[in-house]
PDB file of all heavy atoms in Angstrom:
ATOM      1  N   TRP A  43    -134.395 -16.215  79.030  1.00 96.00           N
ATOM      2  CA  TRP A  43    -135.677 -16.355  79.724  1.00 96.00           C
ATOM      3  C   TRP A  43    -135.344 -16.710  81.178  1.00 96.00           C
ATOM      4  O   TRP A  43    -134.886 -17.819  81.456  1.00 96.00           O
ATOM      5  CB  TRP A  43    -136.485 -17.474  79.042  1.00 96.00           C
ATOM      6  CG  TRP A  43    -137.909 -17.601  79.498  1.00 96.00           C
ATOM      7  CD1 TRP A  43    -138.427 -17.261  80.702  1.00 96.00           C
ATOM      8  CD2 TRP A  43    -139.011 -18.119  78.736  1.00 96.00           C
ATOM      9  NE1 TRP A  43    -139.768 -17.529  80.752  1.00 96.00           N
ATOM     10  CE2 TRP A  43    -140.146 -18.051  79.570  1.00 96.00           C
ATOM     11  CE3 TRP A  43    -139.140 -18.644  77.450  1.00 96.00           C
ATOM     12  CZ2 TRP A  43    -141.405 -18.493  79.140  1.00 96.00           C
ATOM     13  CZ3 TRP A  43    -140.377 -19.077  77.040  1.00 96.00           C
ATOM     14  CH2 TRP A  43    -141.499 -18.999  77.868  1.00 96.00           C
ATOM     15  N   ASP A  44    -135.584 -15.736  82.083  1.00 95.00           N
ATOM     16  CA  ASP A  44    -135.194 -15.963  83.483  1.00 95.00           C
ATOM     17  C   ASP A  44    -136.366 -16.521  84.292  1.00 95.00           C
ATOM     18  O   ASP A  44    -137.529 -16.408  83.883  1.00 95.00           O
ATOM     19  CB  ASP A  44    -134.705 -14.641  84.096  1.00 95.00           C
ATOM     20  CG  ASP A  44    -133.850 -14.859  85.337  1.00 95.00           C
ATOM     21  OD1 ASP A  44    -133.485 -16.020  85.619  1.00 95.00           O
ATOM     22  OD2 ASP A  44    -133.544 -13.873  86.027  1.00 95.00           O
ATOM     23  N   GLU A  45    -136.056 -17.101  85.427  1.00 95.00           N
ATOM     24  CA  GLU A  45    -137.032 -17.677  86.368  1.00 95.00           C
ATOM     25  C   GLU A  45    -137.963 -18.662  85.658  1.00 95.00           C
ATOM     26  O   GLU A  45    -139.182 -18.642  85.831  1.00 95.00           O
ATOM     27  CB  GLU A  45    -137.837 -16.570  87.075  1.00 95.00           C
ATOM     28  CG  GLU A  45    -137.001 -15.556  87.831  1.00 95.00           C
ATOM     29  CD  GLU A  45    -136.106 -16.150  88.929  1.00 95.00           C
ATOM     30  OE1 GLU A  45    -136.169 -17.359  89.172  1.00 95.00           O
ATOM     31  OE2 GLU A  45    -135.327 -15.381  89.499  1.00 95.00           O
ATOM     32  N   VAL A  46    -137.386 -19.529  84.882  1.00 97.00           N
ATOM     33  CA  VAL A  46    -138.192 -20.451  84.080  1.00 97.00           C
ATOM     34  C   VAL A  46    -138.744 -21.604  84.941  1.00 97.00           C
ATOM     35  O   VAL A  46    -139.668 -22.307  84.526  1.00 97.00           O
ATOM     36  CB  VAL A  46    -137.344 -20.953  82.879  1.00 97.00           C
ATOM     37  CG1 VAL A  46    -136.439 -22.089  83.273  1.00 97.00           C
ATOM     38  CG2 VAL A  46    -138.214 -21.290  81.701  1.00 97.00           C
ATOM     39  N   ALA A  47    -138.205 -21.735  86.165  1.00 96.00           N
ATOM     40  CA  ALA A  47    -138.705 -22.818  87.037  1.00 96.00           C
ATOM     41  C   ALA A  47    -140.151 -22.569  87.442  1.00 96.00           C
ATOM     42  O   ALA A  47    -140.869 -23.497  87.794  1.00 96.00           O
ATOM     43  CB  ALA A  47    -137.817 -22.936  88.280  1.00 96.00           C
ATOM     44  N   MET A  48    -140.573 -21.301  87.422  1.00 95.00           N
ATOM     45  CA  MET A  48    -141.934 -21.030  87.881  1.00 95.00           C
ATOM     46  C   MET A  48    -142.943 -20.900  86.724  1.00 95.00           C
ATOM     47  O   MET A  48    -144.095 -20.550  86.936  1.00 95.00           O
ATOM     48  CB  MET A  48    -141.969 -19.795  88.773  1.00 95.00           C
ATOM     49  CG  MET A  48    -141.602 -18.518  88.106  1.00 95.00           C
ATOM     50  SD  MET A  48    -142.017 -17.111  89.143  1.00 95.00           S
ATOM     51  CE  MET A  48    -140.624 -17.016  90.216  1.00 95.00           C
ATOM     52  N   ILE A  49    -142.489 -21.197  85.508  1.00 96.00           N
ATOM     53  CA  ILE A  49    -143.406 -21.101  84.369  1.00 96.00           C
ATOM     54  C   ILE A  49    -143.881 -22.512  84.002  1.00 96.00           C
ATOM     55  O   ILE A  49    -143.158 -23.482  84.159  1.00 96.00           O
ATOM     56  CB  ILE A  49    -142.703 -20.408  83.172  1.00 96.00           C
ATOM     57  CG1 ILE A  49    -143.724 -19.912  82.155  1.00 96.00           C
ATOM     58  CG2 ILE A  49    -141.715 -21.298  82.476  1.00 96.00           C
ATOM     59  CD1 ILE A  49    -144.089 -18.498  82.366  1.00 96.00           C
ATOM     60  N   ARG A  50    -145.125 -22.615  83.531  1.00 96.00           N
ATOM     61  CA  ARG A  50    -145.609 -23.924  83.087  1.00 96.00           C
ATOM     62  C   ARG A  50    -144.856 -24.348  81.836  1.00 96.00           C
ATOM     63  O   ARG A  50    -144.623 -23.521  80.954  1.00 96.00           O
ATOM     64  CB  ARG A  50    -147.101 -23.835  82.725  1.00 96.00           C
ATOM     65  CG  ARG A  50    -147.988 -23.759  83.912  1.00 96.00           C
ATOM     66  CD  ARG A  50    -149.352 -23.271  83.502  1.00 96.00           C
ATOM     67  NE  ARG A  50    -150.194 -23.248  84.662  1.00 96.00           N
ATOM     68  CZ  ARG A  50    -151.151 -24.149  84.908  1.00 96.00           C
ATOM     69  NH1 ARG A  50    -151.428 -25.086  84.018  1.00 96.00           N
ATOM     70  NH2 ARG A  50    -151.849 -24.092  86.016  1.00 96.00           N
ATOM     71  N   VAL A  54    -143.329 -22.709  77.518  1.00 97.00           N
ATOM     72  CA  VAL A  54    -142.049 -22.847  76.800  1.00 97.00           C
ATOM     73  C   VAL A  54    -142.266 -23.670  75.523  1.00 97.00           C
ATOM     74  O   VAL A  54    -141.735 -23.349  74.459  1.00 97.00           O
ATOM     75  CB  VAL A  54    -140.994 -23.515  77.715  1.00 97.00           C
ATOM     76  CG1 VAL A  54    -139.652 -23.586  77.024  1.00 97.00           C
ATOM     77  CG2 VAL A  54    -140.868 -22.748  79.025  1.00 97.00           C
ATOM     78  N   PHE A  78    -131.959 -20.297  79.597  1.00 98.00           N
ATOM     79  CA  PHE A  78    -132.970 -20.285  80.642  1.00 98.00           C
ATOM     80  C   PHE A  78    -132.278 -20.125  81.990  1.00 98.00           C
ATOM     81  O   PHE A  78    -131.263 -20.776  82.242  1.00 98.00           O
ATOM     82  CB  PHE A  78    -133.749 -21.612  80.665  1.00 98.00           C
ATOM     83  CG  PHE A  78    -134.561 -21.847  79.423  1.00 98.00           C
ATOM     84  CD1 PHE A  78    -134.216 -22.850  78.523  1.00 98.00           C
ATOM     85  CD2 PHE A  78    -135.676 -21.080  79.157  1.00 98.00           C
ATOM     86  CE1 PHE A  78    -134.955 -23.070  77.378  1.00 98.00           C
ATOM     87  CE2 PHE A  78    -136.429 -21.285  78.023  1.00 98.00           C
ATOM     88  CZ  PHE A  78    -136.073 -22.290  77.127  1.00 98.00           C
ATOM     89  N   GLY A  79    -132.823 -19.265  82.838  1.00 97.00           N
ATOM     90  CA  GLY A  79    -132.293 -19.128  84.201  1.00 97.00           C
ATOM     91  C   GLY A  79    -133.353 -19.587  85.178  1.00 97.00           C
ATOM     92  O   GLY A  79    -134.548 -19.407  84.930  1.00 97.00           O
ATOM     93  N   GLY A  80    -132.941 -20.191  86.265  1.00 96.00           N
ATOM     94  CA  GLY A  80    -133.955 -20.590  87.255  1.00 96.00           C
ATOM     95  C   GLY A  80    -133.424 -21.640  88.187  1.00 96.00           C
ATOM     96  O   GLY A  80    -132.337 -22.182  87.982  1.00 96.00           O
ATOM     97  N   ASP A  81    -134.186 -21.906  89.224  1.00 94.00           N
ATOM     98  CA  ASP A  81    -133.768 -22.853  90.261  1.00 94.00           C
ATOM     99  C   ASP A  81    -135.025 -23.594  90.715  1.00 94.00           C
ATOM    100  O   ASP A  81    -135.943 -22.968  91.256  1.00 94.00           O
ATOM    101  CB  ASP A  81    -133.129 -22.061  91.416  1.00 94.00           C
ATOM    102  CG  ASP A  81    -132.579 -22.978  92.488  1.00 94.00           C
ATOM    103  OD1 ASP A  81    -132.920 -24.173  92.490  1.00 94.00           O
ATOM    104  OD2 ASP A  81    -131.803 -22.485  93.326  1.00 94.00           O
ATOM    105  N   PHE A  82    -135.053 -24.903  90.467  1.00 94.00           N
ATOM    106  CA  PHE A  82    -136.265 -25.671  90.790  1.00 94.00           C
ATOM    107  C   PHE A  82    -136.439 -25.880  92.290  1.00 94.00           C
ATOM    108  O   PHE A  82    -137.409 -26.477  92.723  1.00 94.00           O
ATOM    109  CB  PHE A  82    -136.267 -27.005  90.032  1.00 94.00           C
ATOM    110  CG  PHE A  82    -136.506 -26.812  88.570  1.00 94.00           C
ATOM    111  CD1 PHE A  82    -135.451 -26.745  87.684  1.00 94.00           C
ATOM    112  CD2 PHE A  82    -137.794 -26.649  88.078  1.00 94.00           C
ATOM    113  CE1 PHE A  82    -135.665 -26.527  86.331  1.00 94.00           C
ATOM    114  CE2 PHE A  82    -138.026 -26.438  86.735  1.00 94.00           C
ATOM    115  CZ  PHE A  82    -136.955 -26.378  85.859  1.00 94.00           C
ATOM    116  N   PRO A  87    -144.459 -23.566  89.340  1.00 95.00           N
ATOM    117  CA  PRO A  87    -145.673 -22.982  88.759  1.00 95.00           C
ATOM    118  C   PRO A  87    -146.868 -23.154  89.700  1.00 95.00           C
ATOM    119  O   PRO A  87    -146.933 -24.130  90.447  1.00 95.00           O
ATOM    120  CB  PRO A  87    -145.888 -23.815  87.485  1.00 95.00           C
ATOM    121  CG  PRO A  87    -144.591 -24.430  87.183  1.00 95.00           C
ATOM    122  CD  PRO A  87    -143.879 -24.607  88.487  1.00 95.00           C
ATOM    123  N   LEU A 102    -140.854 -27.449  83.741  1.00 97.00           N
ATOM    124  CA  LEU A 102    -140.074 -27.663  82.519  1.00 97.00           C
ATOM    125  C   LEU A 102    -139.302 -28.992  82.572  1.00 97.00           C
ATOM    126  O   LEU A 102    -138.998 -29.592  81.538  1.00 97.00           O
ATOM    127  CB  LEU A 102    -139.112 -26.488  82.322  1.00 97.00           C
ATOM    128  CG  LEU A 102    -138.365 -26.411  80.994  1.00 97.00           C
ATOM    129  CD1 LEU A 102    -139.334 -26.301  79.829  1.00 97.00           C
ATOM    130  CD2 LEU A 102    -137.390 -25.250  80.979  1.00 97.00           C
ATOM    131  N   TRP A 108    -136.639 -30.702  77.860  1.00 97.00           N
ATOM    132  CA  TRP A 108    -135.589 -30.811  78.889  1.00 97.00           C
ATOM    133  C   TRP A 108    -134.402 -31.644  78.417  1.00 97.00           C
ATOM    134  O   TRP A 108    -133.256 -31.360  78.724  1.00 97.00           O
ATOM    135  CB  TRP A 108    -136.201 -31.400  80.176  1.00 97.00           C
ATOM    136  CG  TRP A 108    -135.244 -31.325  81.328  1.00 97.00           C
ATOM    137  CD1 TRP A 108    -134.566 -32.344  81.916  1.00 97.00           C
ATOM    138  CD2 TRP A 108    -134.816 -30.134  82.015  1.00 97.00           C
ATOM    139  NE1 TRP A 108    -133.760 -31.883  82.928  1.00 97.00           N
ATOM    140  CE2 TRP A 108    -133.886 -30.525  83.002  1.00 97.00           C
ATOM    141  CE3 TRP A 108    -135.113 -28.773  81.869  1.00 97.00           C
ATOM    142  CZ2 TRP A 108    -133.265 -29.609  83.852  1.00 97.00           C
ATOM    143  CZ3 TRP A 108    -134.487 -27.870  82.716  1.00 97.00           C
ATOM    144  CH2 TRP A 108    -133.587 -28.282  83.681  1.00 97.00           C
TER     145      TRP A 108
END
Side-chain angles (χ1 to χ4, degrees):
W43 189 333
D44 200 10
E45 303 302 356
V46 82
M48 64 168 83
I49 198 95
R50 285 163 178 255
V54 184
F78 295 111
D81 184 345
F82 289 96
L102 189 60
W108 189 252

